[in-house]
């Protein structure tokens, strides 16, 4: 399962919240140069960023274990995505509703690759800036793409969002 989205939307946090193992992260300090490239307006306390991927895992039941791969959010790391998504059953595109345009690339990527995915609006500070219908319209995703609200910090909320993607992927396979 791939967890994707723009810079600073909560991908690393989501993997860390749900993984049953200590997640592998590739966090690097945000340098002055990167701060000039990456928009920190909505993430002023962010001091690190993923430069390769995050990895965790989650046992759904005794016969099903999900391996979680979090992508880096910046376009300059997009060249890694093809390797990260190879063999993925689905994707969760996390969005920050204060800056929906940051996730267009992730939505387009999953649509282009034909990988089943859901959109998860991260409830920063306990709320989202737009309704689910407004988010769907802004991202121009079909009714077949689930759009949910979740909190990347809460294990149960991340689990529920991932289960939406898993159910979508299973439905596509006819299982």
């Amino acid at each position: 399962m791939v967890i994707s989205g723009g810079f600073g939307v909560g991908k690393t946090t989501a993997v860390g919240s749900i993984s049953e193992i200590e997640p592998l992260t590739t966090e690097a300090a945000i340098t002055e140069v990167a701060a000039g490239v990456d928009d920190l307006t909505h993430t002023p306390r962010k001091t690190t960023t993923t430069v390769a991927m995050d990895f965790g895992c989650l046992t759904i039941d005794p016969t099903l274990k999900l391996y979680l791969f979090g992508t880096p959010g910046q376009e300059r790391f997009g060249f890694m995505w093809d390797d990260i998504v190879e063999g993925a059953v689905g994707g969760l595109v996390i969005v920050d509703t204060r800056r929906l345009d940051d996730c267009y690339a992730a939505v387009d990527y999953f649509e282009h690759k034909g990988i089943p995915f859901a959109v998860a609006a991260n409830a920063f500070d306990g709320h989202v800036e737009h309704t689910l219908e407004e988010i769907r319209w802004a991202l121009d995703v079909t009714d077949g793409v689930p759009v949910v609200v979740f909190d990347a910090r809460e294990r149960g909320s991340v689990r529920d969002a991932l289960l939406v993607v898993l159910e979508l992927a299973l439905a596509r396979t006819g299982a």
Side-chain angles (χ1 to χ4, degrees), residues 1 10 13 15 17 21 25 31 38 40 44 50 76 90 96 104 109 114 117 120 122 127 134-135 140-141 153 170 172:
M1 183 81 60
T13 300
V15 171
S17 294
I21 63 167
T25 63
T31 64
D38 300 323
L40 299 173
T50 301
R76 66 181 178 275
D96 179 344
Y104 291 154
Y109 184 86
F117 72 99
N122 196 356
H127 70 282
E134 290 169 335
I135 295 167
D140 194 26
V141 293
R153 301 165 297 178
L170 290 173
R172 283 206 184 172

Side-chain angles (χ1 to χ4, degrees), residues 19-114:
S19 180
E20 60 195 27
I21 63 167
E22 182 69 28
L24 167 72
T25 63
T26 57
E27 294 289 296
I30 296 175
T31 64
E32 285 185 33
V33 172
V37 174
D38 300 323
D39 183 2
L40 299 173
T41 305
H42 294 288
T43 57
R45 295 183 305 253
K46 188 166 178 58
T47 60
T48 62
T49 189
T50 301
V51 295
M53 70 174 176
D54 299 315
F55 174 78
C57 65
L58 173 65
T59 302
I60 302 296
D61 68 36
T63 64
L64 182 59
K65 182 174 244 177
L66 285 182
Y67 293 101
L68 310 171
F69 295 88
T71 66
Q74 299 93 322
E75 285 188 43
R76 66 181 178 275
F77 297 122
F79 66 92
M80 293 182 234
W81 283 30
D82 284 341
D83 291 329
I84 293 171
V85 303
E86 188 171 332
V89 297
L92 184 67
V93 176
I94 300 175
V95 301
D96 179 344
T97 58
R98 300 170 296 183
R99 48 196 176 96
L100 289 171
D101 56 330
D102 287 356
C103 73
Y104 291 154
V107 168
D108 290 346
Y109 184 86
F110 284 101
E111 287 177 339
H112 176 73
K113 290 289 187 180

Side-chain angles (χ1 to χ4, degrees), residues 121-143:
N122 196 356
F124 287 93
D125 300 322
H127 70 282
V128 294
E129 298 289 320
H130 304 284
T131 68
L132 295 180
E133 294 78 25
E134 290 169 335
I135 295 167
R136 178 179 302 286
W137 179 84
L139 299 179
D140 194 26
V141 293
T142 68
D143 289 341

Side-chain angles (χ1 to χ4, degrees), residues 129-167:
E129 298 289 320
H130 304 284
T131 68
L132 295 180
E133 294 78 25
E134 290 169 335
I135 295 167
R136 178 179 302 286
W137 179 84
L139 299 179
D140 194 26
V141 293
T142 68
D143 289 341
V145 175
V147 179
V148 299
V149 174
F150 90 129
D151 187 328
R153 301 165 297 178
E154 295 183 11
R155 180 179 176 84
S157 187
V158 175
R159 177 204 61 218
D160 292 348
L162 290 173
L163 286 174
V164 167
V165 178
L166 185 57
E167 289 170 3

